Amino acid sequence: MRTTNLYAPTLREAPAGADIPSHKLMIRAGMIRKAAGGLYTYLPLAWRTIRKIEQIIREEMDAAGGQEFMMPIIQPAELWQESGRWERFGAEMLKVKDRHGREFCFGPTHEEMITDVVRNELRSYKQLPCMLYQIQDKFRDEIRPRFGLMRSREFIMKDLYSFDKDDAGADISYQKMYDAYTNIFTRCGFNFRPVEADSGAIGGNHTHEFTVLAENGESDIAYCESCDYAANAEKAELSPIVADKEDMLPLEKVSTPGTNTIDLLCDFMNVSQEKTIKAVAFQNEKDEVVLAFVRGDHDVNDVKLQNAVGALDLRMADDDSIRAAGGEPGFMGPIGINKGTYVVVDSTVMNMFNAVTGANEKDVHYKNVNPSRDFSDEGIIVTDIRLIKEGDPCPHCGKPVKMTRGIEVGQVFKLGTKYSEALHATFLDENGKEKPLVMGCYGIGVGRTMAAAIEQHNDKDGIIWPRAIAPFEVVVVPVNAKVPEQLELAEQIYDGLKVKGVDVLLDDRKERAGVKFKDADLIGYPLRIIVGPKAINNDDIEIKIRKSGEMIHLGKDECIKRVQELLKTL
Ligand code: ATP
Ligand code: MG
């Protein structure tokens, strides 16, 4: 390919609204253009990278026994009504009607559809295991599309679905996919971790997210350097902390004027945060109040809380609702809340002695609160609802955990029989007995993977592509394309590399060298070959390695071989 034939409009500045490096750089490098919020066009450079990522995915899916196929993007409402997700999926699902008034949705995922595909025809244990996958556009009407391709509304996903005759078989399929994902993200050049995750709305009981470690990630990851533990913060389980035993003093109300935050309270009472119990008030989708209590220095993990009360959605409660439940904003405590209100107490709180908490009256707290004595056990839920933080003991080995941020690029789920039971997808086992298929589903965000690669590999000048997914591996730049000797030598190198199967671009534009070099750095080709006057006069060709900035000088006879060797290392 020649640059004069490439549509890649580069920009000096990123437009307003592009906030993280991958988003800015993809726009500046002429890779993507926005059509509307969360909707993007992939220009040729981006599409080349997408195709390379897809190819890596295909090779690994096929090697693991997957078969590529394609389902429709638009799906009939009836299937989602059968599984119960037509309503449950919520506003992220874009619903449409056809000319006859029949309802459909734009597929946000395909569990229902695939189960329908196989339910009448995957009938015998002899046909199992079976793995089918597609690479296709999905649509989710995200509430806050942002960061370009990282969280868009229309996005490309690889989704594979596995069918097995029993749990043992499903475990094998899961492991195959786990290994295939490990290969894919290794081949894409990532520093990543498979992390334990929450199974969320999709259901299922066992799942890992493949997470690329990057500052701008949306997930908080807890990981351990002493063992291989890594978990999404929303999922990370914590064992209760047991405070040193104290004699339980009598419960007492104290006047604490104006102390409606933990800091003010601690100052006023002269106690540490570890001696206080903090309240956070939420409302679920039915507007019921959910009160969560954690130790003063801890935070509530809203995913764990949501699971504890079986809520579909939680938002902060308003003051009127808190009062209606018997609480007082800023002075809330578990004692005296109206019966029937969800009161969820973190397990650690139950092990505290002589603590301070709100008395549900303005400017009043209780001191000497001993939860094991003072919290009525009727109706309260005691469980782990705490958010993990740096230094907490690793749930596997007990050493202090570290926190980092990550980008979820893929996820593997064991679904069990959730969808096969709902949609009656059964098979006949060895004894002719009818059983539900045991399923798994496995997604990779292709565009998000491209964005994550840029997040992990960039500098002030632009993108630094890992070779495997670079739009072109090499760019050959004649310093002055108006000089016939330079253009001719550049063409020779270009042809020589093409013959060897190298993915090479010739920047044959009659632009200033500076412009071409800047574009090359911005787009981030792993290698740049510079053919200038020295190349013509002294047989001195220059190769710049984008990643290290290193310059290599060599003669034209060694050039092709050396480039091939260098590429193997990038
Ligand atoms: P998230 O938690 O980030 O919203 P998810 O867990 O809902 O994602 P899955 O249903 O697991 O997503 O989808 C599989 C993969 O699709 C994700 O791992 C991610 O890489 C990609 N993906 C999901 N939502 C988006 C989106 N809005 N934009 C781009 N890629 C996405
Ligand atoms: Mg996910």
Side-chain angles (χ1 to χ4, degrees), residues 468-532:
I469 58 173
F472 290 96
E473 296 173 309
V474 179
V475 60
V476 182
V477 186
V479 169
N480 185 347
K482 290 178 203 150
V483 177
E485 294 83 359
Q486 284 185 29
L487 188 58
E488 208 169 290
L489 178 54
E491 301 243 13
Q492 273 173 26
I493 295 171
Y494 167 71
D495 287 336
L497 286 170
K498 260 204 326 197
V499 167
K500 296 287 179 193
V502 174
D503 197 9
V504 56
L505 178 72
L506 175 69
D507 194 345
D508 57 345
R509 290 177 296 169
K510 296 193 167 58
E511 293 276 0
R512 281 183 297 117
V515 170
K516 296 198 274 191
F517 292 165
K518 264 200 158 37
D519 275 356
D521 279 346
L522 174 62
I523 296 167
Y525 312 108
L527 292 179
R528 180 209 298 176
I529 303 177
I530 302 150
V531 182

Side-chain angles (χ1 to χ4, degrees), residues 303-321:
V303 172
K304 287 184 189 170
L305 181 64
Q306 201 166 326
N307 292 339
V309 297
L312 296 183
D313 183 39
L314 286 178
R315 59 179 197 283
M316 286 312 193
D318 58 65
D319 288 358
D320 289 344
S321 309

Side-chain angles (χ1 to χ4, degrees), residues 293-308:
F293 294 93
V294 290
R295 203 170 78 175
D297 58 321
H298 290 160
D299 287 311
V300 175
N301 178 328
D302 33 0
V303 172
K304 287 184 189 170
L305 181 64
Q306 201 166 326
N307 292 339

